[in-house]
Amino acid sequence: MSLLLWPQGTPNALGDEAEDLPTLVPYLVEGGAPTAAVVICPGGGYARRADHEGEPIALWLNSLGISAFVVHYRVAPYQHPNPLSDAQRAIRIVRSKAKEWNIDPARVGILGFSAGGHLASASGTHYDSGQPDAEDPIDREGCRPDLLVLCYPVISFIAYPHAGSRNNLLGDPADPQLVELLSSENQVTDQTPPTFLWHTADDASVPVENSLMFASALSRHKVPFELHVYESGRHGLGLAEEQVGVRAWTDACAIWLAKQGF
């Protein structure tokens, strides 16, 4: 099952191709009490969306008793604010359908890898509480996630940037004001959601400093967080099932999610 994020028409659509129709794919946990939910943003440098960072992650979350939703957000040639609008819309949809999907609307998180991690961090630092008088009931829902899980995330477009992600999202040259606005380490406040981060120290594509800077900002604002840096491993590992040591991230994250009530 795949749901259109914008069934009445995609904002700022460039055409009629599949890329102009962002979707949400639910992986629901059946039965019992209402579950927590996590929206998943696969990585891909804002140029594509990596399959191994989508459904396999949703099935892992299901194994923890958490309903999951893979968001096929827009990528290049779409630029900001479209990917962020798609992620925010995904969170609103999950909350709007909470009763139908047996989900607790007060336990909706977001998880992202690489550029999807940037999108997740942006969702945790740019949000609203919904528009009470909106004609579309989905827009009445708030889009602040209740927690963040950031996996080897792109965070900064200023220090240690991933140029491909920045250029795809903001253009080249990028507007300096947007570079600042979308550098998530500079947007953290005391209202930023609790966060789990992991990275490898020798990541050659997205330097570990990205996670370190976000964790430092969380610490300064006294936001609860957990950070795991593994000594070695290539970028884009996903579940990292074949990477000794790094694959422990899923166990560590499962423990942390449970501590957050997920």
Side-chain angles (χ1 to χ4, degrees):
M1 178 176 65
S2 178
L3 304 173
L4 289 175
L5 288 179
W6 310 93
Q8 274 74 50
T10 306
N12 307 318
L14 300 175
D16 298 320
E17 302 301 321
E19 187 54 52
D20 303 298
L21 301 171
T23 60
L24 188 67
V25 182
Y27 295 81
L28 301 176
V29 174
E30 302 293 339
T35 70
V38 172
V39 170
I40 300 166
C41 303
Y46 284 115
R48 62 185 183 91
R49 294 168 301 273
D51 290 341
H52 74 288
E53 294 169 349
E55 181 174 69
I57 309 306
L59 297 177
W60 164 66
L61 287 166
N62 285 173
S63 76
L64 305 179
I66 299 171
S67 289
F69 300 83
V70 178
V71 57
H72 295 267
Y73 58 92
R74 283 171 286 176
V75 296
Y78 284 95
Q79 296 183 340
H80 178 75
N82 297 296
L84 180 57
S85 295
D86 291 346
Q88 293 171 335
R89 176 76 172 183
I91 294 170
R92 296 188 209 277
I93 289 173
V94 172
R95 289 201 169 111
S96 73
K97 291 184 174 289
K99 187 173 182 180
E100 176 184 343
W101 287 339
N102 194 36
I103 286 167
D104 179 354
R107 290 186 293 153
V108 178
I110 191 166
L111 177 156
F113 294 85
S114 191
H118 178 267
L119 183 54
S121 73
S123 299
T125 51
H126 301 276
Y127 52 79
D128 60 59
S129 56
Q131 305 168 41
D133 57 350
E135 183 176 343
D136 184 347
I138 293 173
D139 289 335
R140 299 172 198 161
E141 301 289 343
C143 63
R144 178 186 181 274
D146 296 300
L147 58 74
L148 310 179
V149 177
L150 308 181
C151 311
Y152 42 88
V154 175
I155 292 293
S156 183
F157 291 147
I158 300 171
Y160 305 96
H162 183 255
S165 295
R166 180 189 61 202
N167 293 347
N168 284 329
L169 184 65
L170 302 181
D172 184 18
D175 181 333
Q177 289 185 318
L178 287 181
V179 168
E180 173 70 23
L181 184 71
L182 274 300
S183 290
S184 295
E185 78 279 13
N186 294 332
Q187 304 303 322
V188 171
T189 72
D190 60 0
Q191 296 302 305
T192 301
T195 304
F196 180 97
L197 306 102
W198 75 271
H199 221 116
T200 56
D202 62 353
D203 189 321
S205 297
V206 176
V208 67
E209 281 83 359
N210 281 266
S211 283
L212 298 178
M213 286 188 293
F214 197 75
S216 179
L218 294 169
S219 178
R220 288 195 301 274
H221 289 277
K222 302 189 186 308
V223 175
F225 73 93
E226 188 163 310
L227 168 65
H228 294 259
V229 178
Y230 300 95
E231 181 178 357
S232 185
R234 64 172 176 81
H235 187 72
L237 285 170
L239 288 173
E241 291 173 309
E242 299 178 2
Q243 186 80 22
V244 175
V246 185
R247 64 189 177 203
W249 84 264
T250 53
D251 290 336
C253 187
I255 293 169
W256 182 82
L257 287 167
K259 286 194 297 185
Q260 306 306 312
F262 274 57

